[in-house]
Amino acid sequence: MEAAVARETDRPGSEAMPTNRADRAPVLLVECEDRSGLVHAITGVLLRHGANVVGNQEFVDPGARRFFMRTEFVGVGDPGAVGREVASLLPPGAKVRLTRPEPKRIVVLATREHHCLADLLVRHSFGEMNARIAGVASNHEALAPFVRRFDVPFAHFPTDGMSREEHESRVADWIDSLAPDYVVLAKYMRVLGPAFVARYPSRILNIHHSFLPAFAGARPYHQAFARGVKVIGATAHFVTDELDAGPIIVQQVVPVDHTRSAEALARAGRDVEQFALAQALRLVLEDRVFLCGNRTVIFD
Amino acid sequence: MEAAVARETDRPGSEAMPTNRADRAPVLLVECEDRSGLVHAITGVLLRHGANVVGNQEFVDPGARRFFMRTEFVGVGDPGAVGREVASLLPPGAKVRLTRPEPKRIVVLATREHHCLADLLVRHSFGEMNARIAGVASNHEALAPFVRRFDVPFAHFPTDGMSREEHESRVADWIDSLAPDYVVLAKYMRVLGPAFVARYPSRILNIHHSFLPAFAGARPYHQAFARGVKVIGATAHFVTDELDAGPIIVQQVVPVDHTRSAEALARAGRDVEQFALAQALRLVLEDRVFLCGNRTVIFD
Amino acid sequence: MEAAVARETDRPGSEAMPTNRADRAPVLLVECEDRSGLVHAITGVLLRHGANVVGNQEFVDPGARRFFMRTEFVGVGDPGAVGREVASLLPPGAKVRLTRPEPKRIVVLATREHHCLADLLVRHSFGEMNARIAGVASNHEALAPFVRRFDVPFAHFPTDGMSREEHESRVADWIDSLAPDYVVLAKYMRVLGPAFVARYPSRILNIHHSFLPAFAGARPYHQAFARGVKVIGATAHFVTDELDAGPIIVQQVVPVDHTRSAEALARAGRDVEQFALAQALRLVLEDRVFLCGNRTVIFD
Amino acid sequence: MEAAVARETDRPGSEAMPTNRADRAPVLLVECEDRSGLVHAITGVLLRHGANVVGNQEFVDPGARRFFMRTEFVGVGDPGAVGREVASLLPPGAKVRLTRPEPKRIVVLATREHHCLADLLVRHSFGEMNARIAGVASNHEALAPFVRRFDVPFAHFPTDGMSREEHESRVADWIDSLAPDYVVLAKYMRVLGPAFVARYPSRILNIHHSFLPAFAGARPYHQAFARGVKVIGATAHFVTDELDAGPIIVQQVVPVDHTRSAEALARAGRDVEQFALAQALRLVLEDRVFLCGNRTVIFD
């Protein structure tokens, strides 16, 4: 009876999918110098192991002469054997990885702005990310009550009377105690020093509130206003030694016009910041991002 | 000393604006049959009252021959007098409103999906919306713990063994007890009956997970997949008697390709659903949306 | 001396590439029922023939259980042998094609609007399309002088006192005399009958001036205006028996607001119509489009 | 009879509007220091002259404290009198203009790339622009035959053995002989010297093939490739003394991924270059663009 009523009036909106994808298929990630026959050799290994390939993408960067391949497969009892066998067939220097089935671990650094952090906490609390947020840290306390609503540990690292090196060293010790795979800068408004960056090579993601390389550095929305641009944007990228110059993962833009003040640009940009960071993080956590020099190869 | 250190390393990201805009300027909203001299007459009233106009937009719909105007002004002791005087100069049937300075009140209805609701709760908890969320109701209990994290009342209205009319009547009584300005359907997956809709004319906002009028009704992402479209989208609109046919406020789209299953389309669509609803709600709460027949006139 | 001067002041804008790509690599196109080992088998053939694969993409449609693959390769004396050998390894019913190196042939039908047609003529005259335009026909004479500027034959097929069948039969005879690979409807404002459509299965491309399936049929911009949408668009698709319901190749959209009349929507839509058609035609002419039921699989 | 047949089968696509809009309404353009009562004063003049206002937009730049207004009106015998009367009421230094009803005149400079130029020639030949193209000049002869197809004069100004100043002086003499309102650089690949720029203040439009201020200067697509951006774009702007730093009119972007070489980026960017330039030119030719320092105020 109840079901009948429900069927009559319910919008069958149950297109929503189970968001916590616990049983991830193993993913084989290959990266090496390009040469003939790589796809044939790798698919041969998968075939011999009886793998059922559910997704496969490959790319050759012609300039770098490098080969990249990402293969999701099921039906193999010992995926590790696939990885070892593939590695044995590849040129020297090849990188072969098999992803773990369990979620990755991340820590998030923020300052005072909440929107990117809040978006990650919401996705996390509904199991939408292939990751556990092991903790959130900030150089301010403003976000502490909000983070705690989500039962995620919050750490406050004030900068008072401290050198940058000392501050970063404390933050890094905290990070290391949590053993994350990635460090996510969700509008962390401090420039990181080289020692900190070197500690997490290609493992720090940042969201910069401009369309890089335009408006690197401080106050990009004010720069954008002054330049009179008609589009603003956000860039999610890996952090390297050079400020705002690391490999770009996702960029998103939004059109604007002369009626927007610098503050209104900042407001308009928040949604794309949040979206770009979330999307970049998803790509990274699903092992879809390869590095090729300072460029990214992304299999989505 | 400390400041010096901070200055050295801090990214001056303080572009973030105070998000709780308590001291909103009064807004004069005028809507009437078009005729010559309206702008001159209305600006004359504002001028005589010594108003400092900080934003002004007008539009004439040539087909409907209707005039719309939205004016933000400051510096007037008795804004109500401006409204009354303007009204006295306009053609019969004119609508003149002056917005209240205090935040509006909304209630939110949801079912099981969290993303649109969560986005509103986050914006609300940081004072980003010109509104108080007076309560959240759902035909399921799944979202209760999440809503309560935000100290917002949650009401559960199961549909068990109840006719649609009876269910809606209970929900409406709850709504009325909270006296909201608007009812927001944040992925509320039930089709509303005519009595319910009639109770809140032009006061119910819905987010539909397609680019209307394409894929109205049930399971739009499955419809979109079957049709093989290359773009999907979301539509925020006012609810009227006809399903998914009310005046459109915001539409957003995202490109897709053949690799996306219906479930992947649904996943990709969630972000635009959430942004379209938030943006539409912002426009409505800031009194930027007029109705002209089944079309909206939006001053943003 | 001259070179020195040029170097000093020239913007090195010579990023422009040679647009007439005469020496296209052969492309192997495979489509069959999915089963294990297809990629391994096909790459094995390519490897044995010493092919240098310069681009490779594959896709399995999980619902249809169909496998699609597109491989560009060089360095093989007899590409046809590759195709035959691949075919011999595939399941029954497989389709294997090797593209011709020479440009394809197209004819274009138009009515009175010039923009889509002009765009194709310009691209054609600079060798940007992998095709020769064998002729342009119209049910009106308005575009004749323009077409002739480009040294492309123009045929006028008036509809006066003629049944649709008779008219279409004359047009089809003309088309057949030119032996095109594809028939391109560049804002051809007549609904084609089933006999005509059946004569060119999956070989007629149309540009429809709406975001299908919204606003199929006549006067889509007027429909869009009446519905009050906030985005308009254009859809390039293959023509099938059902009006505006064939497989979609490209869709593009442009945001609009309440200030646009139906005529202004039409004007704003022309650019996306033209770009969507040009892009769809490029994809088809470069053999990047597969059909999977009423959906397209596109390797770009 | 014929009409009946046509009605049966014709898609009523006659949404196409008459493109040659000869009878343009006069447009009043006002720009001055902001102060109270400007809109009231100006609309008062229009009202006294019995003007029927068909479009009106105003904007105050709060930083610059400048007022901008654009009013289309009909029904006034002597529009010039409106302009003079408005001017008499405004603060000192105000600029008041009334547009001419006749089309403006432009000249176009190009180098070897055809797409932006071709787009303008096509629009011109169908009367879609509010302008006459008085002539096209290039430092190369490659485009001459194409331009002549459109019955537009072509001038070749080789740079051989000439200093930049001498070359530009010859080009400028030719331009001046044609007395254009605007000079349009349609992928003109030479950096213009200060004397040339100073001769046409705020009257030279350029299309730059990047999303400025990113990738100013030479070979922006190669810069974009090297930086690994995920979006490319084009910027139409006024030319000033500083290279690629003038006021921006239109910017458009297109998403890209790692599979695109620098050449492929250039190819993908051509459509947005062409579209951005055409749109910027339309805005300028319809007197919709004001300058406010190095920013543009655009009433569209």
Side-chain angles (χ1 to χ4, degrees):
Chain A
M1 175 65 81
E2 162 208 347
V5 171
R7 229 175 303 135
E8 182 200 73
T9 58
D10 238 28
R11 290 190 172 202
S14 21
E15 297 186 297
M17 68 300 329
T19 47
N20 210 335
R21 292 178 284 168
D23 301 327
R24 292 184 169 270
V27 183
L28 174 70
L29 305 164
V30 174
E31 181 184 343
C32 63
E33 185 187 325
D34 187 35
R35 67 177 194 198
S36 264
L38 290 170
V39 172
H40 186 67
I42 295 166
T43 52
V45 174
L46 289 157
L47 196 58
R48 280 194 298 279
H49 282 265
N52 186 7
V53 172
V54 295
N56 187 48
Q57 285 160 292
E58 71 263 2
F59 175 68
V60 173
D61 187 284
R65 303 194 66 76
R66 280 193 80 70
F67 171 87
F68 303 90
M69 187 164 168
R70 180 188 190 278
T71 309
E72 289 188 43
F73 61 96
V74 293
V76 175
D78 179 9
V82 169
R84 289 186 299 274
E85 199 169 323
V86 164
S88 74
L89 299 172
L90 298 180
K95 295 185 203 167
V96 177
R97 283 179 294 151
L98 262 169
T99 59
R100 312 191 302 263
E102 66 269 20
K104 296 187 172 52
R105 291 172 66 83
I106 63 174
V107 298
V108 183
L109 306 190
T111 292
R112 276 197 195 94
E113 280 184 88
H114 67 276
H115 57 287
C116 288
L117 171 63
D119 185 65
L120 299 184
L121 289 169
V122 168
R123 292 176 196 262
H124 178 252
S125 83
F126 285 96
E128 276 179 65
M129 293 199 299
N130 183 27
R132 295 299 307 162
I133 300 183
V136 173
S138 175
N139 50 329
H140 291 278
E141 283 206 283
L143 295 168
F146 185 77
V147 172
R148 288 178 186 137
R149 284 183 196 273
F150 290 88
D151 303 323
V152 167
F154 178 88
H156 177 211
F157 292 96
T159 57
D160 315 11
M162 220 176 278
S163 71
R164 184 173 78 179
E165 288 67 26
E166 189 177 344
H167 183 256
E168 290 185 355
S169 159
R170 292 186 186 197
V171 173
D173 289 345
W174 171 82
I175 290 174
D176 293 347
S177 76
L178 298 170
D181 295 285
Y182 294 99
V183 177
V184 180
L185 309 182
K187 306 288 311 250
Y188 185 60
M189 289 293 130
R190 293 176 63 85
V191 177
L192 295 169
F196 188 96
V197 171
R199 205 153 162 171
Y200 310 103
S202 303
R203 290 171 53 203
I204 309 175
L205 270 81
N206 183 44
I207 180 71
H208 183 75
H209 36 317
S210 83
F211 182 93
L212 289 174
F215 313 129
R219 294 170 73 80
Y221 291 120
H222 284 79
Q223 293 184 54
F225 175 81
R227 181 62 188 90
V229 291
K230 300 300 184 185
V231 184
I232 58 169
T235 304
H237 63 97
F238 286 113
V239 173
T240 58
D241 254 12
E242 194 183 339
L243 181 62
D244 297 329
I248 293 172
I249 308 166
V250 171
Q251 294 191 297
Q252 294 206 339
V253 296
V254 55
V256 295
D257 67 18
H258 62 272
T259 65
R260 308 285 156 186
S261 63
E263 289 72 26
L265 294 183
R267 210 152 44 229
R270 286 191 292 195
D271 287 340
V272 284
E273 291 168 18
Q274 159 181 342
F275 196 13
L277 179 59
Q279 192 172 338
L281 190 53
R282 177 184 69 77
L283 293 168
V284 167
L285 294 174
E286 294 179 6
D287 299 291
R288 298 179 178 281
V289 182
F290 288 84
L291 288 179
C292 183
N294 203 46
R295 309 174 73 244
T296 57
V297 170
I298 298 180
F299 294 134
D300 191 18
Chain B
M1 176 63 85
E2 162 208 347
V5 170
R7 227 173 307 133
E8 179 199 75
T9 58
D10 237 29
R11 288 189 173 203
S14 21
E15 298 186 297
M17 70 299 330
T19 48
N20 210 337
R21 292 178 283 167
D23 301 326
R24 290 182 171 270
V27 182
L28 175 70
L29 305 165
V30 174
E31 180 184 346
C32 64
E33 187 188 324
D34 187 34
R35 68 177 194 197
S36 264
L38 290 169
V39 172
H40 185 66
I42 295 166
T43 52
V45 174
L46 289 158
L47 195 59
R48 281 195 297 279
H49 282 264
N52 185 7
V53 172
V54 294
N56 186 49
Q57 286 159 293
E58 70 262 2
F59 176 68
V60 173
D61 185 286
R65 304 195 63 76
R66 281 193 78 72
F67 171 88
F68 303 90
M69 186 164 169
R70 180 187 190 279
T71 309
E72 289 189 45
F73 61 96
V74 293
V76 175
D78 179 8
V82 168
R84 287 188 299 275
E85 199 169 324
V86 164
S88 74
L89 299 172
L90 298 180
K95 295 185 202 166
V96 177
R97 283 178 294 151
L98 263 170
T99 59
R100 308 193 303 264
E102 66 267 22
K104 295 188 173 53
R105 291 172 65 83
I106 63 173
V107 298
V108 183
L109 305 190
T111 292
R112 276 198 196 94
E113 279 183 89
H114 65 276
H115 58 288
C116 289
L117 172 62
D119 184 64
L120 300 184
L121 288 169
V122 168
R123 291 177 196 261
H124 178 253
S125 83
F126 285 96
E128 276 179 64
M129 293 198 298
N130 183 27
R132 295 299 308 164
I133 300 183
V136 173
S138 173
N139 50 328
H140 290 278
E141 283 207 281
L143 295 168
F146 185 76
V147 172
R148 288 178 185 136
R149 284 183 196 273
F150 290 89
D151 303 323
V152 167
F154 178 89
H156 177 212
F157 291 97
T159 57
D160 313 13
M162 221 176 278
S163 70
R164 185 173 76 179
E165 288 68 26
E166 189 177 342
H167 182 257
E168 290 185 355
S169 159
R170 292 187 186 198
V171 173
D173 289 345
W174 171 81
I175 290 174
D176 292 347
S177 76
L178 297 170
D181 294 285
Y182 294 98
V183 177
V184 180
L185 309 183
K187 306 287 313 250
Y188 185 60
M189 289 292 130
R190 294 176 62 86
V191 176
L192 296 169
F196 187 95
V197 171
R199 206 152 161 170
Y200 309 102
S202 302
R203 289 171 51 203
I204 310 176
L205 270 82
N206 184 43
I207 180 71
H208 183 75
H209 35 314
S210 83
F211 181 91
L212 290 175
F215 313 129
R219 292 169 73 79
Y221 290 121
H222 284 79
Q223 293 183 53
F225 176 81
R227 182 60 188 92
V229 291
K230 299 299 184 187
V231 184
I232 58 169
T235 304
H237 63 97
F238 286 114
V239 173
T240 58
D241 254 13
E242 194 182 339
L243 182 61
D244 298 329
I248 293 171
I249 307 165
V250 170
Q251 295 191 296
Q252 294 202 342
V253 297
V254 55
V256 295
D257 68 18
H258 63 272
T259 65
R260 308 286 155 183
S261 62
E263 290 70 28
L265 294 183
R267 210 151 44 228
R270 285 191 292 195
D271 288 337
V272 284
E273 292 169 18
Q274 160 181 339
F275 290 160
L277 179 60
Q279 192 172 340
L281 190 54
R282 176 183 69 77
L283 293 168
V284 166
L285 294 174
E286 294 180 6
D287 298 291
R288 298 180 177 280
V289 182
F290 288 83
L291 288 179
C292 183
N294 203 48
R295 309 174 73 243
T296 56
V297 171
I298 297 180
F299 294 135
D300 191 19
Chain C
M1 179 62 83
E2 163 208 343
V5 171
R7 229 176 303 134
E8 179 200 75
T9 59
D10 239 26
R11 290 190 173 200
S14 22
E15 297 186 298
M17 68 301 327
T19 47
N20 209 334
R21 293 178 285 169
D23 301 327
R24 291 183 169 270
V27 182
L28 174 71
L29 304 164
V30 173
E31 179 183 345
C32 64
E33 187 187 323
D34 187 33
R35 67 177 194 199
S36 265
L38 290 170
V39 172
H40 186 68
I42 295 166
T43 52
V45 174
L46 288 157
L47 195 59
R48 279 194 298 280
H49 282 264
N52 185 5
V53 172
V54 294
N56 186 49
Q57 286 159 292
E58 69 264 2
F59 175 69
V60 173
D61 186 285
R65 304 193 64 77
R66 281 194 79 70
F67 170 86
F68 302 90
M69 185 165 169
R70 181 187 190 278
T71 309
E72 289 189 44
F73 61 96
V74 292
V76 175
D78 179 9
V82 169
R84 287 187 300 274
E85 200 170 322
V86 165
S88 74
L89 299 172
L90 298 180
K95 295 186 202 167
V96 178
R97 284 177 294 151
L98 263 169
T99 59
R100 308 191 306 263
E102 66 269 20
K104 295 187 173 51
R105 291 172 64 84
I106 63 173
V107 297
V108 183
L109 305 190
T111 292
R112 277 198 194 94
E113 279 183 88
H114 67 275
H115 57 287
C116 288
L117 172 62
D119 185 64
L120 300 183
L121 289 168
V122 168
R123 291 176 196 262
H124 179 252
S125 83
F126 284 96
E128 275 179 63
M129 293 198 298
N130 182 27
R132 295 298 308 164
I133 299 183
V136 174
S138 174
N139 50 329
H140 291 278
E141 284 206 281
L143 295 168
F146 184 77
V147 172
R148 289 181 183 133
R149 283 183 197 272
F150 290 88
D151 303 322
V152 167
F154 178 89
H156 177 213
F157 291 97
T159 58
D160 315 10
M162 221 175 278
S163 70
R164 185 172 77 178
E165 288 67 26
E166 191 177 342
H167 183 257
E168 289 184 355
S169 158
R170 292 187 187 196
V171 173
D173 288 346
W174 170 82
I175 290 173
D176 292 347
S177 76
L178 298 170
D181 294 285
Y182 294 98
V183 177
V184 180
L185 309 183
K187 306 288 310 253
Y188 185 60
M189 288 292 130
R190 294 175 63 84
V191 177
L192 296 169
F196 188 96
V197 171
R199 206 152 161 172
Y200 310 101
S202 302
R203 289 171 53 204
I204 311 176
L205 271 81
N206 184 43
I207 180 71
H208 183 74
H209 34 316
S210 83
F211 182 91
L212 289 174
F215 313 129
R219 295 170 71 81
Y221 290 120
H222 284 79
Q223 294 183 54
F225 175 82
R227 182 61 188 91
V229 292
K230 300 299 185 187
V231 184
I232 59 169
T235 304
H237 63 97
F238 286 113
V239 174
T240 58
D241 255 14
E242 195 183 337
L243 182 62
D244 297 329
I248 293 171
I249 308 166
V250 171
Q251 295 191 297
Q252 295 202 341
V253 297
V254 55
V256 294
D257 67 19
H258 63 273
T259 65
R260 308 285 155 185
S261 63
E263 289 71 27
L265 294 182
R267 210 152 43 229
R270 285 191 293 196
D271 289 336
V272 283
E273 292 169 17
Q274 159 181 339
F275 290 160
L277 179 59
Q279 192 172 339
L281 190 54
R282 175 182 71 77
L283 293 168
V284 166
L285 294 173
E286 293 180 5
D287 298 292
R288 298 180 178 279
V289 182
F290 288 83
L291 287 179
C292 183
N294 202 47
R295 309 174 72 245
T296 56
V297 171
I298 297 180
F299 295 134
D300 191 17
Chain D
M1 176 63 83
E2 164 209 344
V5 171
R7 230 175 303 136
E8 181 200 75
T9 58
D10 238 27
R11 288 191 173 201
S14 20
E15 297 186 297
M17 69 302 328
T19 47
N20 209 335
R21 292 179 282 169
D23 301 326
R24 291 184 169 269
V27 182
L28 175 70
L29 305 165
V30 173
E31 181 183 344
C32 63
E33 187 188 324
D34 187 35
R35 67 177 195 198
S36 264
L38 289 170
V39 172
H40 185 66
I42 295 166
T43 53
V45 174
L46 288 157
L47 195 59
R48 279 194 297 280
H49 282 265
N52 185 7
V53 172
V54 295
N56 186 49
Q57 286 159 293
E58 70 263 2
F59 175 69
V60 173
D61 186 286
R65 305 194 64 76
R66 280 193 79 71
F67 171 87
F68 302 90
M69 185 165 171
R70 181 187 189 277
T71 309
E72 289 189 44
F73 61 97
V74 292
V76 175
D78 179 9
V82 168
R84 287 186 300 274
E85 201 170 321
V86 165
S88 73
L89 300 172
L90 298 180
K95 294 186 203 167
V96 177
R97 283 177 295 150
L98 262 169
T99 59
R100 309 191 305 264
E102 66 268 21
K104 295 188 171 53
R105 291 172 66 84
I106 62 173
V107 297
V108 182
L109 306 190
T111 292
R112 277 197 193 94
E113 279 184 88
H114 66 277
H115 58 287
C116 289
L117 172 63
D119 185 64
L120 299 183
L121 289 169
V122 168
R123 291 177 196 262
H124 179 252
S125 83
F126 284 96
E128 276 179 62
M129 293 198 298
N130 182 28
R132 296 299 307 165
I133 300 182
V136 173
S138 174
N139 50 329
H140 289 278
E141 284 207 280
L143 295 168
F146 185 76
V147 172
R148 288 179 184 134
R149 284 183 197 273
F150 290 89
D151 304 324
V152 167
F154 178 89
H156 178 211
F157 292 97
T159 56
D160 314 12
M162 222 176 275
S163 70
R164 185 172 76 179
E165 288 68 26
E166 189 177 344
H167 183 256
E168 289 185 356
S169 159
R170 292 186 187 198
V171 173
D173 289 344
W174 171 82
I175 290 174
D176 293 346
S177 75
L178 297 170
D181 294 284
Y182 294 99
V183 177
V184 180
L185 309 183
K187 306 288 311 253
Y188 185 61
M189 290 292 129
R190 292 176 64 85
V191 176
L192 296 169
F196 188 96
V197 171
R199 205 152 163 170
Y200 310 102
S202 301
R203 288 170 54 203
I204 310 176
L205 270 83
N206 184 44
I207 180 73
H208 183 75
H209 36 315
S210 84
F211 181 93
L212 289 175
F215 312 128
R219 294 169 73 81
Y221 291 121
H222 284 79
Q223 293 183 53
F225 176 81
R227 181 62 188 90
V229 291
K230 299 300 185 186
V231 185
I232 58 169
T235 303
H237 63 97
F238 287 113
V239 173
T240 58
D241 254 14
E242 194 183 339
L243 182 62
D244 297 328
I248 292 172
I249 308 166
V250 171
Q251 293 191 297
Q252 294 207 340
V253 297
V254 55
V256 295
D257 67 18
H258 63 272
T259 65
R260 309 285 155 184
S261 62
E263 290 71 27
L265 295 183
R267 212 153 41 229
R270 285 191 291 194
D271 288 340
V272 284
E273 292 169 17
Q274 160 180 341
F275 197 12
L277 179 59
Q279 193 172 336
L281 189 53
R282 176 184 69 77
L283 293 168
V284 166
L285 293 173
E286 294 180 6
D287 299 291
R288 298 179 177 281
V289 182
F290 288 84
L291 288 179
C292 182
N294 203 46
R295 310 174 72 246
T296 56
V297 170
I298 298 181
F299 294 134
D300 191 17

